[in-house]
Amino acid sequence: MIIQKGYYYFFSEMVFPNGHKSSYEKNINVEYKHLFDITITNIGNDSINGKPPKDFDLVMSWLGKALYPLTIRPNHLGLLKEVVNANEVRERCVKEGQRIIDYYEQTPLIVQYVERCIERLGDKKKLLRLISQSNIYQLVTIGLDITGHEYRLVDFPFVGDIISFHLAIVKEEEEEEMLLTIPEIKTDRKVLSHKGKAYVHKIEKGMFDHIQLMLEVEIEDEGFYTRRLELKRMEGTE
């Protein structure tokens, strides 16, 4: 099962034990001449909690946009083999990174952050890991092996944490949809309980155009943290 070409809306939300929510939204375009060379292009501006990013979020958004357009080459299982235009991506990030450094030269914290990001992008293995663990990449390619692919949810429930899991099919309607669950999770952090599920909308010819994923974990002395992800094709796009 592969993703249909077109413009997509990406949504990511974190819900904290106190009910506070933090969300991130962006639009992308997904294209490919053949299945294993996929180009993802950033469209328009990002949104943080429904508003344009500001302060440090603006810096991360500014640098993040320099990754696009991004041409990726996964294998038949969805694992990232190569960033086809890696040199182009690095050049853009260095250029935009320097612009950010020049603009925020009186703010050492931002300068150091951008310099570290640029350094990581210069290392081939680190660049592959960065892209392969991004939610957009994983949602775009997960259909290639939807139950065999190990999804890695980075910085959840806390920065530096990684939760990995596989999806299991609960119900599959041949023509329209697939319902999945997350039976088990792997993480170094102690988790008291978890609940996870996913939804995939299928279209003809072995393609999908909409995926939603939700994972809730219970942390001792903290409560429940929830992560929601969605990638949905916009209506009327080719």
Side-chain angles (χ1 to χ4, degrees), residues 149-151 163-168 181-187 191 194-196 215 217:
H149 177 87
E150 182 182 68
Y151 200 104
I163 293 181
S164 59
F165 56 85
H166 289 84
L167 294 171
T181 187
I182 302 174
E184 299 179 357
I185 60 174
K186 297 178 182 178
T187 178
V191 174
H194 84 278
K195 179 173 65 176
L215 178 64
V217 295

Side-chain angles (χ1 to χ4, degrees), residues 95-144:
K95 181 179 179 181
E96 290 304 309
Q98 190 57 55
R99 290 180 62 190
I100 296 171
I101 289 171
D102 292 343
Y103 188 83
Y104 289 97
E105 61 181 350
Q106 302 301 322
T107 312
L109 180 63
I110 290 178
V111 171
Q112 292 169 11
Y113 167 77
V114 173
E115 288 176 341
R116 287 197 302 269
C117 289
I118 292 174
E119 181 181 355
R120 286 199 297 268
L121 292 174
D123 184 292
K124 181 179 179 180
K125 290 183 178 179
K126 291 180 179 179
L127 176 61
L128 284 174
R129 184 166 61 249
L130 172 69
I131 301 302
S132 66
Q133 292 184 350
S134 71
N135 289 307
I136 287 179
Y137 172 82
Q138 293 187 92
L139 292 177
V140 165
T141 61
I142 194 171
L144 293 172

Side-chain angles (χ1 to χ4, degrees), residues 212-225:
Q212 294 174 308
L213 190 151
M214 184 281 293
L215 178 64
E216 176 188 87
V217 295
E218 182 184 6
I219 305 299
E220 188 174 15
D221 299 325
E222 292 274 348
F224 293 91
Y225 290 81

